Amino acid sequence: MTSSRSALPTQQTLANAPPLTPRSATDVESFVILESSLRNHPELAKEGDKILNPFMLAKLVDGMRRFQDEHLGRKAKLKKYPLLRIPSPLLHDRSRSGPLYTIIVSAFRTKSQSHWRNFNFDNPKLYDDNIALLKRAEADLINGGYLTRPRVYFDESVREGPLGEVGLAKFERIVERWGWRSL
């Protein structure tokens, strides 16, 4: 299956990557074009300047990155949810209709359907809501063709191995729990 959109940025895109210091003046400035593009989205047109501005977008992306680092990485405190991190290059693409655009639109859709007014990735009470936000962003990225998740192939030796059909079923349940496909 081929897609017109690349799952990861090209070398040229990475050469124009945003600054490494989150929420710095240059980082906030890199969101200006994305912010103007988001204002043209019908669902985000009603958002005020206090919520939809380059500084708040930089804060949102930095919050997502820190939340993933803390809760979804190898060093995660809790391994409660089977969810993979959104790849970092997708959070760095500041193009008008790229993967970060899709992530932000998804985040605002989730926010509009929830009880909170602002994004807050630091509040432990909103942990489940933030996980739901990331799951929705992941689903939108997959539907948009920006992200693919693993497909797991089991060799015939797994079925014939010491665990037999029971072992294969167990492995398939693990794959399904993570939202992947087994073939």
Side-chain angles (χ1 to χ4, degrees):
M1 181 171 129
T2 59
S3 174
S4 61
R5 298 179 185 169
S6 173
L8 294 175
T10 62
Q11 283 297 96
Q12 181 182 9
T13 308
L14 289 176
N16 300 326
L20 295 175
T21 310
R23 295 195 268 178
S24 66
T26 51
D27 185 39
V28 171
E29 186 178 314
S30 70
F31 280 96
V32 171
I33 294 172
L34 184 60
E35 184 251 348
S36 66
S37 182
L38 287 166
R39 288 226 172 263
N40 294 330
H41 193 280
E43 293 178 48
L44 302 180
K46 65 180 189 262
E47 295 292 341
D49 289 338
K50 288 185 177 181
I51 293 178
L52 188 57
N53 62 55
F55 178 77
M56 293 305 284
L57 293 175
K59 185 177 175 182
L60 169 63
V61 171
D62 183 48
M64 281 183 176
R65 185 189 51 76
R66 286 185 298 107
F67 183 83
Q68 289 187 118
D69 287 347
E70 186 174 336
H71 298 288
L72 301 178
R74 243 186 299 179
K75 300 174 185 174
K77 294 176 184 172
L78 296 173
K79 299 208 181 223
K80 185 176 178 181
Y81 290 95
L83 180 68
L84 292 178
R85 297 162 55 121
I86 295 173
S88 188
L90 299 182
L91 296 174
H92 289 275
D93 184 353
R94 306 279 162 60
S95 61
R96 290 183 181 267
S97 61
L100 185 57
Y101 177 89
T102 303
I103 292 167
I104 291 172
V105 169
S106 180
F108 274 94
R109 282 181 183 149
T110 303
K111 183 180 83 67
S112 70
Q113 296 171 354
S114 67
H115 62 279
W116 26 284
R117 289 183 279 160
N118 295 319
F119 297 104
N120 186 349
F121 289 96
D122 298 324
N123 187 347
K125 291 180 181 178
L126 296 176
Y127 179 83
D128 292 334
D129 293 331
N130 290 329
I131 291 291
L133 185 149
L134 291 174
K135 282 185 175 184
R136 181 171 188 162
E138 179 185 47
D140 288 348
L141 286 169
I142 291 169
N143 291 338
Y146 295 111
L147 184 66
T148 56
R149 287 302 186 201
R151 294 181 188 100
V152 180
Y153 296 90
F154 292 108
D155 188 59
E156 289 297 319
S157 63
V158 174
R159 184 183 318 250
E160 299 164 2
L163 298 176
E165 290 291 330
V166 175
L168 180 62
K170 180 180 177 182
F171 292 138
E172 286 177 339
R173 280 194 307 273
I174 292 170
V175 167
E176 187 177 302
R177 188 180 80 196
W178 279 87
W180 302 344
R181 291 190 315 171
S182 63
L183 305 170

